[in-house]
Amino acid sequence: MNIASLEDESVQARLIQQILSEAGHQCTIFSSGREMLSVLARGNDYDLLLLDWEIPDISGLDVLRWVRANLGHGLPIMMLTSRTLEEELVTGLQAGADDYMIKPIRKGELVARVHALLRRNKPQPASEASFPCGPYEIDPANEAIRLDGQKVELAPKEYELALLLFRNPGRLFSRDVLSNSVWNREIPATSRTLDTHLSNIRRKLQLRPEHGVRLNSSYALGYRLELIDPDSVPSSQQ
């Protein structure tokens, strides 16, 4: 993979480059944030960015913010930092970092974290084969979901949301993950867009216990499609 590393300390930069080269990756070193931004602005062909937080001219945090604002969230980014305060690390994650690593650099940990990020962000071919979920049949090839054999009419974004949930029953999705997966951007917490779409698919698809599914929601934690046994649900709840 093609990795770019922002590191102004020459010994650390060579160490990072050596570790990643030995792991089979190509690593380009940038010693200034301005230099990295200049290259990224002309076109990005990197698979991963490693950003040192404390760079004299433009900090790694500012580079991170520029990338998220201008290149989106598709490019994985890991912060390398000597900072250990929780609030500072949270600031980096909230700004769009996918992971962080506390210095000093440890070879095994760096390689493991890099490989985990690359696996997580590697596009996976979506299966076009239909699959069942209780009384539902999900047909990705025709972008259709059927309940008891009848196609349910869904708006495009409603379908994408429902497909994501049906493909991952039991998985808890945060609001940010859902909005980035379907809209390719974060939706402000004050917006009702996501909630309205989820309410629509709950109603249109009749996501109720008698159909063996339940869409659980927690504003703080996220949303989860749960599979349940309809026979275990008291008749008063059906």
Side-chain angles (χ1 to χ4, degrees), residues 49-78:
L49 300 184
L50 302 178
L51 303 180
D52 182 19
W53 190 304
E54 299 179 13
I55 299 294
D57 63 336
I58 299 177
S59 74
L61 184 62
D62 287 334
V63 172
L64 166 64
R65 288 170 172 155
W66 184 94
V67 170
R68 291 306 184 226
N70 293 275
L71 303 181
H73 289 260
L75 179 63
I77 298 177
M78 181 164 69

Side-chain angles (χ1 to χ4, degrees), residues 209-228:
E210 62 265 32
H211 291 143
V213 294
R214 178 167 49 209
L215 181 58
N216 275 346
S217 61
S218 166
Y219 190 82
L221 298 177
Y223 304 84
R224 184 194 338 252
L225 184 70
E226 293 184 346
L227 303 184
I228 58 178

